[in-house]
Amino acid sequence: MIKNTDYQDLNTVAEEIINGRKLTDDNLRELLALTEEEYIQKLHHVARKVRDHFFGNRVFLYSFVYFSTYCKNNCAFCYYNRCNNIRRYRLNLEQIRNIARAVKKENVHMVDLTMGEDPYFHNEPERFIEVVRTVKEETGLPIMISPGVMDDRILSRLHRNGADFLALYQETHDRALFRKLRAGQSFDKRNHAREFARNNGYCIEDGILTGVGNDIESTIISLRGMEKGQPDMVRVMTFVPQEGTPFEGMTRGSSLSELKIISVLRLMFPNKLIPASLDLEGIDGMVHRLNAGANVVTSIISSDSSLEGVVNYDRELEKRDRDSKSVIKRLRTMGMEPASQAEFNRIIEKQQVALLRIPVVTL
Ligand code: SAM
Ligand code: MD0
Ligand code: SF4
């Protein structure tokens, strides 16, 4: 659908997608197998057309707050897995409140509260509810939570206390690969938490890793798996080997596969949120991801922050350079603009309106 197509016809492909055309598995195979620069540029071109139709030149910005890096899990890819002998921190409520005040002054549409599966919060979820309530109180902004797997009752309570979005990445929907990545964790429980959240008032984000031994067929399983969950936001991130982890010795792939998958996601989820994460390659990397069809910039951290990212391309850097001011400056050079808060709120509210039509389980 891309290779032997001139730019005129590419615009027709974009039109078809906008009008509801669904990609077949063979389409996905063709797109994911592209290697020549010329074809990949064509794919990005179609993805941008589709994105621009739904979002124009408007981009959403999320602030990232990793408030506890303690974790009881042992994900093979993650720097913060419990076996890694690293320095960790857990912010107290006052520290979190101060960060929330600072975030309020930044130009962002949502705050992402992320933690490892820290027993301090997971065993006493009341403490996490308090964090969410505090950040809501201080910022008044929509809140994304990325806490790992939590049970239904707690998710409901978190939602009532201000959590709007649940980010919970399956990493892969290929069960065999999942067992290698998230050893000892339940595939179904992770999927269920997202499904429950979606049916109970949250917007949800699913995501996959690439460069972790996923071939094209495995990637297709993941893309279809994400499709089934009807997420509001879908992500792909390149796996970056982390010191001290079981996958430390794996080679880091280029971002080519991620960029292709971002475009494919745009064709499969034309009007959904797709992030360009700053966490992998900073602002230069953001530009490539937006050019591949993304429409959200995530992992914004203020320049004076000492908190961690996840992959943290800037772990060794003296000064961070992924604050909202620098992001917006670069967006403008690309002819893009931050969207208004009202535009973002409308997207979040759409999910709530859709929900009024199905019964909500109260726990
Ligand atoms: N602990 C929670 C959890 O696991 O759901 C929240 C943290 S979660 C937002 C961290 C995400 O970053 C993972 O789900 C994974 O997709 C991504 N990630 C972690 N380590 C990575 C790595 N080395 N390379 C690329 N992505 C990574
Ligand atoms: C990011 N470091 O967007 C963040 C993180 C968690 N919801 C997001 C992976 O790259
Ligand atoms: Fe813990 Fe999340 Fe890292 Fe897994 S990805 S080790 S759950 S912080």
Side-chain angles (χ1 to χ4, degrees):
M1 60 189 280
I2 294 281
K3 277 193 187 168
N4 301 315
T5 321
D6 61 25
Y7 274 84
Q8 186 70 30
D9 294 336
L10 287 178
N11 292 343
T12 312
V13 176
E15 283 298 317
E16 288 169 3
I17 298 281
I18 290 163
N19 291 322
R21 172 173 170 190
K22 299 275 175 265
L23 300 190
T24 63
D25 283 0
D26 279 339
N27 292 149
L28 294 178
R29 265 177 212 113
E30 177 195 324
L31 299 178
L32 294 170
L34 295 177
T35 49
E36 276 183 52
E37 183 60 21
E38 181 196 340
Y39 301 145
I40 292 170
Q41 286 312 325
K42 285 180 163 179
L43 172 61
H44 293 339
H45 172 86
V46 178
R48 283 197 301 273
K49 281 258 156 200
V50 172
R51 179 203 54 205
D52 293 353
H53 172 84
F54 290 102
F55 298 98
N57 68 343
R58 321 287 266 180
V59 180
F60 303 109
L61 310 178
Y62 300 176
S63 167
F64 185 65
V65 180
Y66 203 170
F67 64 92
S68 169
T69 58
Y70 286 87
C71 188
K72 63 173 188 246
N73 284 337
N74 202 9
C75 301
F77 52 85
C78 179
Y79 185 66
Y80 304 97
N81 85 62
R82 68 159 189 264
C83 299
N84 207 2
N85 187 15
I86 53 172
R87 258 203 306 180
R88 299 176 192 262
Y89 61 79
R90 175 189 301 124
L91 303 187
N92 65 33
L93 202 58
E94 272 328 288
Q95 291 169 315
I96 295 174
R97 191 186 288 281
N98 287 336
I99 288 178
R101 285 186 182 140
V103 164
K104 199 180 168 190
K105 296 195 199 109
E106 303 235 3
N107 217 324
V108 294
H109 300 97
M110 183 152 73
V111 193
D112 177 359
L113 294 175
T114 293
M115 64 169 163
E117 289 200 5
D118 180 357
Y120 178 85
F121 291 107
H122 275 251
N123 296 346
E124 305 259 358
E126 200 58 52
R127 291 169 169 161
F128 183 44
I129 293 172
E130 189 66 26
V131 168
V132 169
R133 207 184 299 131
T134 304
V135 174
K136 190 66 156 200
E137 206 175 275
E138 289 295 340
T139 64
L141 287 173
I143 294 182
M144 168 180 267
I145 53 169
S146 310
V149 177
M150 301 203 107
D151 72 30
D152 297 355
R153 204 173 59 86
I154 303 304
L155 284 174
S156 293
R157 293 186 55 205
L158 285 162
H159 184 58
R160 285 199 294 277
N161 281 279
D164 303 280
F165 226 114
L166 174 72
L168 190 65
Y169 314 140
Q170 200 69 18
E171 322 298 356
T172 171
H173 284 264
D174 172 350
R175 285 174 186 266
L177 183 56
F178 182 94
R179 277 194 291 277
K180 291 185 200 148
L181 299 181
R182 287 191 166 266
Q185 298 171 50
S186 161
F187 181 97
D188 293 319
K189 277 197 188 136
R190 205 167 168 84
N191 236 348
H192 169 83
R194 215 179 308 105
E195 190 186 352
F196 176 85
R198 185 182 184 281
N199 292 334
N200 287 274
Y202 281 89
C203 287
I204 56 163
E205 181 183 10
D206 195 358
I208 58 174
L209 293 177
T210 189
V212 272
N214 52 307
D215 58 13
I216 288 183
E217 294 309 314
S218 169
T219 305
I220 293 177
I221 293 174
S222 288
L223 294 170
R224 294 298 183 207
M226 291 206 285
E227 200 173 39
K228 224 170 131 200
Q230 297 179 274
D232 305 279
M233 177 153 173
V234 272
R235 92 161 44 205
V236 54
M237 299 224 297
T238 307
F239 161 64
V240 180
Q242 302 291 316
E243 205 180 335
T245 65
F247 283 4
E248 170 178 37
M250 278 171 72
T251 40
R252 178 180 180 156
S254 76
S255 53
L256 189 87
S257 157
E258 178 183 331
L259 295 175
K260 261 194 298 185
I261 297 174
I262 287 177
S263 291
V264 169
L265 287 174
R266 178 54 68 204
L267 306 193
M268 292 179 73
F269 302 88
N271 60 353
K272 300 298 176 194
L273 299 162
I274 300 178
S277 172
L278 292 165
D279 205 30
L280 297 153
E281 297 178 317
I283 291 189
D284 291 335
M286 168 193 90
V287 172
H288 298 304
R289 287 158 177 83
L290 289 171
N291 282 334
N295 69 324
V296 184
V297 178
T298 64
S299 214
I300 291 172
I301 303 181
S302 72
S303 34
D304 57 1
S305 171
S306 54
L307 301 190
E308 300 265 22
V310 170
V311 173
N312 234 349
Y313 75 96
D314 48 1
R315 188 170 285 136
E316 310 290 322
L317 293 188
E318 202 127 289
K319 203 169 170 310
R320 290 197 181 284
D321 56 357
R322 46 161 132 176
D323 53 286
S324 60
K325 226 171 154 184
S326 313
V327 165
I328 293 169
K329 199 166 149 207
R330 184 65 82 86
L331 284 180
R332 295 207 161 117
T333 68
M334 301 173 71
M336 302 187 95
E337 284 286 333
S340 68
Q341 188 68 45
E343 279 172 274
F344 186 67
N345 292 353
R346 266 200 300 279
I347 292 191
I348 295 209
E349 280 152 20
K350 246 192 257 161
Q351 163 79 348
Q352 311 271 357
V353 172
L355 273 162
L356 294 177
R357 287 185 228 112
I358 57 164
V360 176
V361 186
T362 334
L363 292 161

